[in-house]
Amino acid sequence: MNDSTISLPWLVIRQDDNGNRYRVGRYATRAEAQKIADSLDSRGHKQLYWVERIGQGQTHAQGQAQAQNGDGTRN
């Protein structure tokens, strides 16, 4: 683990309508990352945003994708 992983362990991830995933940013706290994800999510686009901690991998992402309706909106 390097210093940046320790100091910025929270990621905001975006998934577009085609299932492509991108890292939006890295943050020091979960609250900071969640604030960014909520702000981006509130814009009303079909992209899905979520927060995960480095090392947690796909578990949360898969749960979020399952919560998405077939038309790209969230439940």
Side-chain angles (χ1 to χ4, degrees):
M1 224 185 270
N2 62 33
D3 289 338
S4 65
T5 303
I6 294 169
S7 61
L8 300 173
W10 293 98
L11 304 175
V12 173
I13 307 294
R14 176 181 75 111
Q15 181 173 311
D16 66 20
D17 347 350
N18 298 316
N20 300 311
R21 295 178 181 167
Y22 306 94
R23 183 177 67 198
V24 175
R26 294 175 66 164
Y27 302 92
T29 66
R30 186 181 196 328
E32 181 182 17
Q34 191 64 56
K35 182 178 177 182
I36 297 298
D38 291 345
S39 172
L40 292 167
D41 196 43
S42 71
R43 294 182 181 181
H45 297 286
K46 290 185 178 182
Q47 285 81 15
L48 176 67
Y49 296 92
W50 69 88
V51 172
E52 66 183 43
R53 188 174 176 91
I54 292 175
Q56 285 185 335
Q58 301 295 324
T59 305
H60 186 72
Q62 290 170 345
Q64 288 291 335
Q66 290 171 355
Q68 187 175 8
N69 293 322
D71 63 357
T73 61
R74 295 173 78 174
N75 291 334

